[in-house]
């Protein structure tokens, strides 16, 4: 099978590397050799073992020998236009581009189905962790009731440093940037945008109906303080940035937020740059997938697996699909009840419940309150015995 | 698609239940309705919603309408004969029968390939946890270097009770039997036989060459004492019964044994009846799959997923296959180096290294020794400074 790679950065380069280093093994599994015929990139790579670079997309589009294309460009321009034209021309596309999948997946999957080819994107969520394929092929006997994912390695690294080593957010972020775990502009990571795109993809797959990431309430980790981290540890929780999807009647709830995770939950022990996805379903109970959510070779590994799947399904559309969803399918997640961790000013006199004070943190305390909606929580905080206290920290408890 | 269920016990009954309760969802994913035409069982089930029971295997074998059969009989007689005849007749078979797969998988997979149909057995390892499909379809870009699995819920429950609640092996076993987690005759579980069959299946799939479970050195958990559990906790380890497969040059090492697992390893936190499989590979690093490894609906859920896969591949053999292996492919695992936990009589005077003594456990101590082969360990224990000490406990450290 002859393929092209679009975008020869970290991930695309990793795909090129694996296709050489694991060639024999890959050919055995695919049933044929996978050969790179073109690499599209505007840069030059004189030292690459590959000599098939082009700067012209039309070379790939118009070559009938190219059956599948690896899209590792990122962003939506020109990736959206290129992907659409390739699919319309009957070429399979495998992608690591969560932004594109989250935004235009519905249309691209529809074209792939109509053309009886495949648009696969295992690498777009959880890097190399197999999660998309299990969701659509292994959990098919189940009604999925919920998905909770730690989907961003950068923020998980920062939060782990804050909890385990008492670092401040800024210290931990600088360290993550030094180690190459965080980008110079960390906005998409620390504000939860990356997590949001990924949970939108998983939510869309879980029930076969599109959930638009733009409509998912999203909160990042920039407001978390070292004091919150101290209370978490003292109270038996970890703090994680999670993407949540919960099945509701005629729809789903979805949300991205930092949350207190009970140490009994397998997600709590996922540290540093690792990712984990917990899938809850009726028959199966909890299933968790764990591994490296980012990085060159893990992500490339997922894309190569998709290429192998294409080779095995060259004339068949694998049933990965979601349809447009009706209005109101994504429910107002303000209706959803959560237990909350609250860090409040003053002393806990006259307040009963799961309260914690910490030596050295004077004139403040923390409490875990029973599940309430957002509106109920706001009402509660305005009433006695909470009315006189300032909210210093507030996180959902999962 | 019309199917038959052979064996209507816990698992077969669960498949029947899911095919009714999740019918709509399953039909959507399979692309067609899945209808049970026969149920083979020697018992009567007058209260079942199904009215299609038969005691005659030939009814299923000779009905051209039956395209796929669920084998949930267990054991090899008559399951082997039935499965073989069904496959030769061109009917797909999905199975939860680890004994049969571990023993006769090579032949049955070969027939399925020749007939261009499928023999699938996701439920045979890890119950409902998707592990076989990810191994063969998601990790295809990787060279798998090792697999470590907690594959038996019964023994994991017993060990968890011993470590966390200080129970003795006998107490924990009785409790497991009361709760229905252990059978009246727990031999296959506590002696590691069940784990051995499962790691043999995973090892065979990892490199596409058969590993015979009968040749895998297998040690159960009956020799583990509460004292070993105390040292584990004091030294920062958990104790788990693991199946291990490690890639070697021109072959694999495989072994089943109880082991000290460092608490930093994600396998250490897998408690009670849960299972977990850690797959190590070059590109991807560690990936872990976690969930309920047994039970009616989890196992049934995996079988239904296999049925859906059959419906999607009715005229295609999914490339799940292993071949016969050459002599010597399974290496002598005595050559493999492990770090060991040793519990020794006497006092640790004159011995240096990672030593632990526990108040109340007088005249004994524990030590973790650096990686050695079995022969090297035996030599070491016969030499100074160990020669005068009796070995009270000995476990590999993973």
């Amino acid at each position: 099978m002859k393929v092209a790679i679009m975008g020869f950065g970290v991930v695309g380069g990793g795909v090129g590397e694996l296709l050489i280093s694991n060639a024999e093994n890959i050919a055995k599994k695919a049933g044929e050799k996978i050969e790179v015929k073109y690499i599209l990139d505007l840069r030059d790579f004189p030292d690459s073992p590959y000599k098939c670079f082009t700067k012209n997309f039309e070379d790939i589009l118009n070559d009938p020998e190219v059956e599948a294309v690896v899209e590792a460009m990122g962003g939506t321009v020109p990736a959206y236009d290129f992907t659409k034209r390739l699919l319309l021309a009957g070429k399979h596309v495998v992608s690591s581009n969560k932004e594109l999948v989250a935004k235009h997946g519905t249309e691209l999957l529809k074209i792939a189905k109509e053309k009886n080819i495949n648009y696969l994107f295992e690498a777009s969520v959880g890097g190399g962790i197999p999660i998309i394929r299990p969701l659509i092929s292994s959990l098919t006997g189940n009604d999925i009731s919920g998905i909770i994912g730690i989907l961003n390695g950068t923020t998980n690294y920062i939060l782990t440093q804050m909890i385990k080593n008492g670092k401040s957010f800024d210290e931990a972020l600088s360290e993550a940037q030094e180690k190459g775990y965080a980008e110079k502009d960390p906005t998409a990571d620390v504000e939860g945008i990356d997590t949001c795109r990924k949970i939108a993809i998983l939510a869309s797959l879980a029930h076969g109906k599109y959930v638009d990431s733009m409509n998912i309430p999203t909160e990042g980790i920039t407001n978390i303080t070292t004091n919150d981290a101290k209370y978490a540890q003292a109270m038996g929780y970890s703090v994680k940035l999670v993407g949540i999807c919960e099945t509701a009647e005629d729809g789903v709830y979805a949300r991205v937020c930092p949350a207190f995770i009970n140490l009994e939950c397998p997600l709590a022990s996922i540290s540093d740059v690792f990712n984990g996805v917990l899938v809850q379903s009726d028959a199966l109970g909890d299933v968790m997938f764990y591994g490296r959510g980012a990085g060159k070779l893990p992500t490339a590994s997922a894309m190569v697996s998709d290429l192998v799947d294409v080779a095995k399904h060259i004339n068949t559309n694998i049933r990965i699909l979601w349809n447009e969803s009706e209005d109101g399918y994504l429910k107002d997640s303000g209706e959803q009840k959560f237990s909350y961790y609250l860090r409040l000013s003053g002393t806990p006199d006259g307040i009963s419940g799961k309260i914690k004070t910490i030596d050295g943190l004077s004139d403040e305390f923390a409490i875990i309150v029973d599940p309430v909606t957002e509106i109920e929580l706001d009402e509660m905080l305005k009433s006695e015995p909470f009315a006189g206290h300032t909210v210093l920290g507030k996180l959902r408890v999962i």
Side-chain angles (χ1 to χ4, degrees), chain A:
Chain A
M1 183 171 77
K2 291 201 166 46
V3 304
I5 299 173
M6 303 198 303
F8 207 61
V10 173
V11 173
V15 172
E17 193 178 318
L18 277 184
L19 286 177
I20 292 177
S21 63
N22 282 4
E24 194 188 341
N25 194 22
I26 292 166
K28 203 169 95 186
K29 286 176 178 159
E32 61 182 315
K33 201 166 169 300
I34 295 181
E35 194 185 314
V36 179
K37 188 163 181 189
Y38 300 98
I39 296 172
L40 179 71
D41 203 297
L42 294 180
R43 295 164 291 181
D44 293 316
F45 297 86
D47 300 332
S48 170
Y50 287 103
K51 302 297 168 206
C52 54
F53 288 88
T54 175
K55 296 184 168 58
N56 185 1
F57 168 68
E58 312 285 332
D59 287 349
I60 297 169
L61 183 69
N62 296 328
D63 187 333
E65 275 201 345
V66 174
E67 293 189 276
V69 178
V70 173
E71 187 265 296
M73 312 178 79
T76 59
V77 180
Y80 166 60
D81 178 55
F82 285 6
T83 301
K84 188 171 168 179
R85 288 163 71 192
L86 288 166
L87 291 170
L88 285 169
K91 297 184 194 303
H92 302 257
V93 177
V94 314
S95 174
S96 60
N97 190 334
K98 54 228 167 200
E99 188 179 350
L100 181 58
V101 176
K103 202 163 178 183
H104 295 290
T106 316
E107 181 190 6
L108 298 171
L109 286 166
K110 191 164 170 247
I111 297 172
K113 194 189 170 193
E114 284 166 3
K115 291 280 173 184
N116 204 29
I117 50 174
N118 293 290
Y119 181 51
L120 303 179
F121 40 84
E122 181 64 73
S124 68
V125 182
I129 306 172
I131 172 63
I132 288 181
R133 195 172 285 100
L135 253 194
I136 63 117
S137 75
S138 298
L139 305 176
T140 37
N142 283 271
D143 271 331
I144 291 165
S145 55
I147 298 173
I148 307 173
I150 298 172
L151 299 166
N152 180 273
T154 309
T155 46
N156 205 43
Y157 179 83
I158 293 171
L159 290 171
T160 303
Q161 289 302 317
M162 290 176 72
I163 295 261
K164 284 204 181 158
N165 301 328
K167 297 205 170 127
S168 71
F169 173 80
D170 289 331
E171 284 168 345
L173 172 59
S174 300
E175 199 182 287
Q177 284 169 324
E178 277 163 33
K179 293 197 173 189
Y181 296 157
E183 304 197 33
K184 217 169 160 186
D185 176 1
T187 313
D189 291 323
V190 300
E191 295 297 352
I193 300 165
D194 177 74
T195 297
C196 178
R197 287 171 181 148
K198 291 168 176 170
I199 194 69
I201 294 171
L202 296 180
S204 301
L205 285 168
H207 301 290
K209 288 199 181 180
Y210 180 55
V211 175
D212 187 345
S213 64
M214 303 299 283
N215 298 331
I216 297 178
T218 297
E219 185 190 333
I221 63 165
T222 50
N223 292 329
I224 305 207
T225 67
T226 40
N227 284 4
D228 296 319
K230 280 182 195 165
Y231 282 105
Q233 250 207 335
M235 298 172 94
Y237 294 91
S238 191
V239 181
K240 303 289 176 191
L241 179 67
V242 289
I244 308 172
C245 161
E246 191 186 319
T247 306
E249 218 183 301
D250 301 325
V252 294
Y253 294 112
R255 169 178 294 282
V256 173
C257 62
F260 266 39
I261 311 266
N262 193 303
L263 291 184
E264 301 266 299
C265 172
L267 287 171
S269 57
I270 294 174
S271 299
D272 297 325
V273 294
F274 281 86
N275 282 198
V277 183
L278 188 72
V279 181
Q280 304 167 314
S281 59
D282 53 352
L284 201 42
D286 288 358
V287 175
M288 193 178 79
F289 304 86
Y290 163 99
R292 293 193 176 273
K296 179 182 181 173
L297 290 182
T299 309
S301 156
M303 300 194 84
V304 170
S305 299
D306 277 350
L307 274 184
V308 170
D309 234 14
V310 163
K312 285 155 91 174
H313 294 89
I314 201 80
N315 296 312
T316 321
N317 174 257
I318 303 171
R319 207 173 292 270
I320 298 189
L321 195 67
W322 62 68
N323 297 312
E324 286 295 344
S325 50
E326 59 274 19
D327 280 354
Y329 176 71
L330 179 63
K331 303 284 171 193
D332 173 6
S333 62
E335 294 167 3
Q336 235 184 326
K337 292 198 179 202
F338 285 98
S339 180
Y340 282 86
Y341 146 84
L342 300 171
R343 186 159 65 86
L344 301 170
S345 67
T347 58
D349 305 338
I351 299 181
S352 59
K354 291 173 209 153
I355 288 170
K356 189 83 195 174
T357 54
I358 293 183
D359 286 348
L361 297 183
S362 58
D363 207 33
E364 64 169 80
F365 65 98
I367 182 169
I368 306 284
V369 300
D370 289 339
V372 285
T373 64
E374 279 177 13
I375 293 171
E376 286 166 350
L377 181 69
D378 288 345
E379 290 296 321
M380 200 181 89
L381 288 170
K382 279 185 231 154
S383 328
E384 287 308 326
F386 294 102
H389 301 273
T390 307
V391 177
L392 307 171
K394 181 179 92 174
L395 290 169
R396 289 175 183 79
V397 180
I398 306 285

